[in-house]
Amino acid sequence: MYTAKDYRRNIRGDLFGGITAAIVALPLALAFGISSGVGAVAGLYGAAIAGFFAAVFGGTPSQISGPTGPMTVIITGMTANYLALWPDQGLALVFTTVFLGGCMQSAIGLLRLGKFIIMVPYPVISGFMTGIGAIIILIQLGPLLGFPASVSVGAAVAAFPEQLLHSDAAALSIGGLSLAILFLWRGRPAKMLPAPLVALVLATMATYWFPDGSLDRIGTIPSGLPALQIPTFRPEIATEMLINALMLAVLGSIDSLLTSLVADNLTGTQHNSDRELLGQGLGNALAGLFGGIPGAGATMRTVVNIRAGGSGPLSGAFHALILLAVAAGLGFLFESIPLAALAGILIKVGIDIVDWPFMQRLHRLPLFPVALMLLVLLLTVFADLITAVFVGVFIKNLVTVSKLSDLELGNVVMSDGSDRNADLTSLERELLDQHAGSAVLLRITGPVSYAVGRGINARFEPYRNREFLYIDITDAAIVGISTAMVLEHLILNARANNVVVKLIGVDRSLHQDIEQLGIPDIVGRENCLTSAKDALERPHT
């Protein structure tokens, strides 16, 4: 955790980092605010409020937070839906959902679940990030061609052919110029002046070559400090609001923690996942209460901050205060920015979000991760993000459980002694030889999940007519409830076939679940043996 001494150590570097990050964040905040349907000033408020509190209370000192593409995709759909149903209350419902999402995100941090968020399998992350990039690109094609942004991907795809045939030359020229600058402005000049800012300035200047009224612009941006938005609820959409809030919380957490990993790699530090989510959630909750759109850790802005010398929370706080100053009284400077220029900036954001390294390797990767990634991509674009992530994680977990079951079967030895190559100790072989083929030994040496039970039962099937079953758990240092349930099922099946079951190596201090399930009582306490040697010396009854 940062101390007062840490805050003072790099004030100059944090100041330059914060200023540079604010310059990069300004056009993006405006663009995301416009794209969301809430308004440019909501983008500035969100960048300032979420950025400030995530920096001060978060767990990644050098991270810059603010509106991002993934979060804006969710807000855009929410805004269109709520405004269509309740024009007077729509924005209040959006801000209330943002507030709830922030509370959920803080709860994830308080419950110390941060480390689990980034355990989402990579093909799933790749699929939904690429899908988000595709959504941003498709929805911004309309404004690039001089038309209003579509409210959904389906509408954007359906309208695109007609929009292409009747595209506005002025908007396409300005949007194309913006895109060209973003792709070509590189190297040393880009370190001095960020490409999005250059694109915004030059594209706006270029609009003076076109007649007045020929281009749609941002228009009036209300100036002033953010005002409190009283939370508003509609019982008929309470479930939908909670689902949208959950999407914001989960996606914001994933987005932020992935950026935290990037910051760790650049600075050689180690972020605190739970504290980061607590700070991000607090920032988003307050953004919702004061009319801002939600944010997350922003990779490009974080990298710019670090390269400019920012290393502590002060850089994120400086960046946020600069944006708040713009929102408070300088909004009039940006009212003439053409929407086509913002569309070009957002399309470049969408292109950058796409996981191109993974896409370029699709033809060389195994079929399953490729199919999983493409499925999540399609669900992200044509269904919703929560469905995409949950379906992807569920399918991946099924396959993982299957593979782990195969590995866990390697911890199981089952033999009646007839196979001289079986992995048996001399005592175990002597024990089986004494029974002359009437006994079978099951030895467990490691963890076994319940999913392995079917495999163990299948191995036992050829021996079901034996008189004795020895189950040796001496070397199984930890026997959890899953292993205990597998053993119970096997023992009950064996006893149903009149097989005498003997349990070897039960230790009450290590095998508490076996004791609690009453397995020793099922086999009979007289059949609980301390070791293979003990079994060898006991009468075979």
Side-chain angles (χ1 to χ4, degrees), residues 71-89:
M71 301 293 275
T72 304
V73 166
I74 300 177
I75 290 295
T76 301
M78 283 170 42
T79 304
N81 186 33
Y82 293 169
L83 285 176
L85 294 173
W86 295 282
D88 295 334
Q89 290 185 310

Side-chain angles (χ1 to χ4, degrees), residues 40-107:
V41 72
L44 290 173
Y45 287 162
I49 297 172
F52 181 85
F53 287 96
V56 174
F57 295 100
T60 312
S62 58
Q63 181 149 286
I64 301 295
S65 301
T68 63
M71 301 293 275
T72 304
V73 166
I74 300 177
I75 290 295
T76 301
M78 283 170 42
T79 304
N81 186 33
Y82 293 169
L83 285 176
L85 294 173
W86 295 282
D88 295 334
Q89 290 185 310
L91 289 182
L93 292 171
V94 170
F95 294 136
T96 301
T97 306
V98 173
F99 167 72
L100 292 174
C103 293
M104 290 182 182
Q105 194 172 9
S106 288

Side-chain angles (χ1 to χ4, degrees), residues 90-146:
L91 289 182
L93 292 171
V94 170
F95 294 136
T96 301
T97 306
V98 173
F99 167 72
L100 292 174
C103 293
M104 290 182 182
Q105 194 172 9
S106 288
I108 294 173
L110 288 172
L111 294 173
R112 300 186 179 280
L113 300 177
K115 58 181 176 293
F116 299 109
I117 292 292
I118 54 176
M119 288 184 181
V120 176
Y122 186 81
V124 176
I125 292 177
S126 176
F128 85 75
M129 292 302 288
T130 300
I132 288 168
I135 290 172
I136 294 173
I137 294 169
L138 290 170
I139 288 180
Q140 291 303 314
L141 287 176
L144 184 73
L145 299 173

Side-chain angles (χ1 to χ4, degrees), residues 295-540:
T299 303
M300 182 172 67
R301 279 158 270 179
T302 298
V303 171
V304 165
N305 171 51
I306 293 171
R307 289 178 176 170
S311 62
L314 283 179
S315 58
F318 284 142
H319 136 274
L321 292 174
I322 292 170
L323 294 177
L324 183 62
V326 172
L330 301 177
F332 67 93
L333 296 175
F334 309 100
E335 294 176 353
S336 62
I337 293 174
L339 297 184
L342 294 178
I345 291 173
L346 288 176
I347 288 175
K348 181 60 165 62
V349 170
I351 291 172
D352 290 340
I353 290 176
V354 173
D355 188 0
W356 295 111
F358 193 90
M359 297 283 284
Q360 291 167 356
R361 294 178 174 88
L362 287 182
H363 63 287
R364 298 204 303 264
L365 295 173
L367 177 61
F368 174 72
V370 171
L372 182 62
M373 182 268 189
L374 294 177
L375 172 64
V376 173
L377 191 161
L378 292 174
L379 287 174
T380 300
V381 174
F382 297 107
D384 61 72
L385 296 173
I386 287 292
T387 300
V389 172
F390 281 153
V391 169
V393 170
F394 178 73
I395 293 175
K396 177 61 177 175
N397 284 344
L398 286 180
V399 174
T400 300
V401 167
S402 176
K403 290 182 177 179
L404 286 176
S405 298
D406 293 339
L407 291 174
E408 288 174 353
L409 278 173
N411 298 325
V412 175
V413 174
M414 186 174 290
S415 175
D416 63 356
S418 59
D419 182 2
R420 308 315 293 181
N421 294 320
D423 183 20
L424 298 173
T425 66
S426 58
L427 280 176
E428 290 169 343
R429 194 170 294 282
E430 186 177 351
L431 174 63
L432 293 173
D433 287 343
Q434 281 190 1
H435 283 280
S438 64
V440 61
L441 171 75
L442 167 64
R443 172 161 38 89
I444 298 176
T445 59
V448 174
S449 64
Y450 191 72
V452 180
R454 184 173 180 179
I456 292 178
N457 286 326
R459 288 193 181 186
F460 179 67
E461 188 63 25
Y463 309 110
R464 61 183 304 174
N465 295 322
R466 300 295 195 274
E467 296 180 30
F468 297 92
L469 169 62
Y470 289 91
I471 300 177
D472 187 353
I473 59 172
T474 305
D475 295 329
I478 300 176
V479 177
I481 189 66
S482 295
T483 306
M485 292 293 292
V486 168
L487 292 179
E488 180 188 49
H489 184 71
L490 178 65
I491 290 168
L492 291 174
N493 283 344
R495 287 177 59 83
N497 289 312
N498 297 317
V499 177
V500 177
V501 180
K502 295 181 180 287
L503 200 56
I504 301 173
V506 177
D507 185 327
R508 292 192 179 190
S509 64
L510 295 176
H511 306 145
Q512 296 179 6
D513 289 324
I514 284 182
E515 288 286 347
Q516 290 173 358
L517 284 175
I519 291 178
D521 295 322
I522 295 175
V523 302
R525 292 286 173 177
E526 70 279 4
N527 290 323
C528 294
L529 311 172
T530 58
S531 64
K533 183 178 180 181
D534 185 22
L536 191 61
E537 295 172 350
R538 292 274 190 102
H540 305 317

Side-chain angles (χ1 to χ4, degrees), residues 272-285:
N272 183 323
S273 296
D274 297 321
R275 184 179 175 86
E276 180 62 29
L277 297 187
L278 178 63
Q280 291 286 345
L282 176 62
N284 284 330

Side-chain angles (χ1 to χ4, degrees), residues 10-265:
N10 188 36
I11 291 180
R12 182 175 180 275
D14 285 342
L15 178 61
F16 281 117
I19 293 172
T20 307
I23 293 172
V24 175
L26 176 61
L28 294 173
L30 294 171
F32 286 131
I34 293 290
S35 174
S36 70
V38 183
V41 72
L44 290 173
Y45 287 162
I49 297 172
F52 181 85
F53 287 96
V56 174
F57 295 100
T60 312
S62 58
Q63 181 149 286
I64 301 295
S65 301
T68 63
M71 301 293 275
T72 304
V73 166
I74 300 177
I75 290 295
T76 301
M78 283 170 42
T79 304
N81 186 33
Y82 293 169
L83 285 176
L85 294 173
W86 295 282
D88 295 334
Q89 290 185 310
L91 289 182
L93 292 171
V94 170
F95 294 136
T96 301
T97 306
V98 173
F99 167 72
L100 292 174
C103 293
M104 290 182 182
Q105 194 172 9
S106 288
I108 294 173
L110 288 172
L111 294 173
R112 300 186 179 280
L113 300 177
K115 58 181 176 293
F116 299 109
I117 292 292
I118 54 176
M119 288 184 181
V120 176
Y122 186 81
V124 176
I125 292 177
S126 176
F128 85 75
M129 292 302 288
T130 300
I132 288 168
I135 290 172
I136 294 173
I137 294 169
L138 290 170
I139 288 180
Q140 291 303 314
L141 287 176
L144 184 73
L145 299 173
F147 296 89
S150 300
V151 296
S152 67
V153 173
V157 173
F160 180 68
E162 186 70 17
Q163 291 174 347
L164 188 61
L165 288 174
H166 301 91
S167 60
D168 182 85
L172 187 57
S173 299
I174 294 299
L177 174 63
S178 176
L179 267 175
I181 293 171
L182 290 166
F183 277 105
L184 299 176
W185 190 262
R186 298 178 177 275
R188 183 174 297 178
K191 294 180 180 179
M192 298 174 62
L193 287 174
L197 183 64
V198 175
L200 204 63
V201 171
L202 294 183
T204 303
M205 292 174 61
T207 61
Y208 293 104
W209 291 91
F210 298 95
D212 290 341
S214 61
L215 286 162
D216 292 329
R217 302 175 187 269
I218 288 180
T220 303
I221 299 177
S223 295
L225 295 175
L228 179 65
Q229 305 288 322
I230 304 300
T232 302
F233 296 92
R234 300 284 306 197
E236 56 268 48
I237 60 165
T239 301
E240 182 180 347
M241 291 176 69
L242 290 174
I243 292 174
N244 285 331
L246 179 62
M247 282 198 289
L248 289 173
V250 173
L251 187 58
S253 299
I254 294 173
D255 204 5
S256 296
L257 294 183
L258 289 176
T259 303
S260 295
L261 293 176
V262 173
D264 287 348
N265 289 333

